[in-house]
Amino acid sequence: MGTLKGHLLPGMFFLFFSLYYSVLTSLALLRRQRFCKPPLPPREKRGHRWWQLVPVEGVVKVVITLIGIIPEFFYPPGVNRLKMIDWEDPQRPFLFQNNWQHVTMYGFFLLSGVVDIVSQSCQARQNIKLERAAEALAFCVLALLMVAHIENKSTLEIRVHILFIVPTFLVSLALAIEVWVPDQPQLWVLKCWMGLVLSNWLLQLCVVMYVPPSGQPWKGENPADLAFLSIFFCWHLGLGAAILATIYGICSLWHHHYSSWKESSGASYHLCPTGYSSEEFEKLGAGAEAELQDGGV
């Protein structure tokens, strides 16, 4: 991960999921849903198409994190960093500290993906609280390890990583609160906004540390360079808000156009898939809401 490609992969990973959740949040606000992602119906009442049975989000998490973990140990070809302690040295020093930190970060997002798959595919009812808790844990670990990651680094690296920790902590806090209070639109918006900020800032970190537009490396000992890092981070706060507002505007246009088309065609709009009676659906919704409010992790 200590390379340009190593930072681009998680940056694009976070950006993809931030955009995805921004769309979900925008549609949930427009439809006035109680939950950002409505709970899935019981497994026996789902359809038989593959996208109704396969938890795509969890699979994507697993695949991308594995793509990140394997190179940490075995790239470039012929390298093996699985060894954690040098047993041949009498001092028994630890080896490959940065690589093991990166693998640990990826590993908890891998765990989140596995929890999504088990919850949505292997259980009769989806355990949303457990999914949120696993995702919150992954971001908490990311923030914690970032604090340790800046030890023995240059002033420039310390500054950019501290600014990265801020939105990461806020995302983890929003996710942790959602475990118990999932029906708060303010948390959905905060989570998406900070997710866009941390993903864009991680991509900005690639530019600052590896491919500066001026062709000259940033100087950590220069107060002006450090000051502009904070300025650029504030710009990213505005950029994240602008991206989120743009996504909401596009979703609003689509939502109103789709609603008017459904009304003109005489069809009614449904928030969730049909296939069983309204009475059964009401019971399902009530059961899911009770599980979200009262169920444990």
Side-chain angles (χ1 to χ4, degrees):
M1 188 173 174
T3 63
L4 175 61
K5 294 180 180 178
H7 284 85
L8 280 176
L9 176 65
M12 296 305 298
F13 169 75
F14 288 131
L15 181 61
F16 170 78
F17 273 97
S18 298
L19 294 173
Y20 168 69
Y21 273 101
S22 296
V23 173
L24 289 183
T25 297
S26 299
L27 293 176
L29 293 173
L30 291 166
R31 295 169 180 173
R32 298 182 179 179
Q33 296 174 185
R34 182 171 182 186
F35 305 110
C36 183
K37 291 175 62 178
L40 296 173
R43 190 169 55 182
E44 66 274 8
K45 293 187 177 181
R46 300 175 197 172
H48 297 286
R49 296 181 178 87
W50 68 269
W51 60 83
Q52 295 174 319
L53 300 174
V54 178
V56 178
E57 183 178 330
V59 171
V60 171
K61 288 180 183 179
V62 170
V63 171
I64 293 181
T65 51
L66 286 177
I67 293 174
I69 289 174
I70 294 174
E72 291 290 340
F73 287 134
F74 304 111
Y75 184 84
V79 171
N80 186 348
R81 301 188 184 93
L82 284 173
K83 189 177 181 181
M84 184 182 292
I85 299 176
D86 186 1
W87 296 103
E88 298 177 0
D89 189 326
Q91 300 297 324
R92 303 293 191 267
F94 286 102
L95 303 174
F96 312 121
Q97 170 191 339
N98 288 339
N99 299 94
W100 280 101
Q101 283 184 338
H102 299 155
V103 167
T104 303
M105 297 173 196
Y106 281 124
F108 276 88
F109 284 99
L110 174 65
L111 173 64
S112 175
V114 171
V115 169
D116 289 349
I117 294 173
V118 172
S119 171
Q120 298 174 27
S121 296
C122 303
Q123 293 186 327
R125 285 185 178 273
Q126 180 185 11
N127 193 332
I128 296 182
K129 281 194 171 185
L130 184 60
E131 294 178 24
R132 289 199 182 99
E135 200 169 24
L137 176 62
F139 277 96
C140 285
V141 169
L142 176 59
L144 178 62
L145 289 179
M146 276 292 122
V147 174
H149 192 64
I150 61 179
E151 295 179 359
N152 300 321
K153 294 293 192 297
S154 66
T155 305
L156 179 67
E157 290 181 278
I158 292 174
R159 180 65 60 89
V160 295
H161 283 89
I162 286 177
L163 293 173
F164 177 74
I165 291 171
V166 174
T168 303
F169 171 75
L170 291 175
V171 170
S172 66
L173 181 62
L175 286 168
I177 296 174
E178 276 192 320
V179 173
W180 292 277
V181 190
D183 55 347
Q184 296 298 314
Q186 299 90 335
L187 289 177
W188 310 344
V189 174
L190 175 64
K191 178 178 64 177
C192 293
W193 179 30
M194 289 297 105
L196 289 168
V197 172
L198 75 87
S199 58
N200 288 327
W201 183 250
L202 192 52
L203 297 176
Q204 175 75 56
L205 189 150
C206 297
V207 174
V208 170
M209 296 181 60
Y210 300 105
V211 285
S214 65
Q216 297 296 323
W218 283 62
K219 301 177 179 61
E221 67 279 2
N222 188 342
D225 284 15
L226 295 179
F228 268 96
L229 279 179
S230 300
I231 293 172
F232 290 160
F233 180 78
C234 293
W235 290 0
H236 278 283
L237 292 174
L239 176 63
I243 293 174
L244 185 56
T246 301
I247 292 174
Y248 181 84
I250 295 173
C251 291
S252 179
L253 292 175
W254 178 88
H255 173 73
H256 292 301
H257 175 75
Y258 181 75
S259 299
S260 61
W261 177 81
K262 295 289 285 185
E263 291 175 0
S264 63
S265 63
S268 58
Y269 176 74
H270 298 280
L271 294 181
C272 297
T274 57
Y276 30 90
S277 66
S278 59
E279 182 178 353
E280 290 176 331
F281 178 73
E282 289 176 0
K283 291 180 180 178
L284 171 63
E289 291 183 5
E291 183 182 352
L292 283 170
Q293 294 295 331
D294 303 324
V297 174

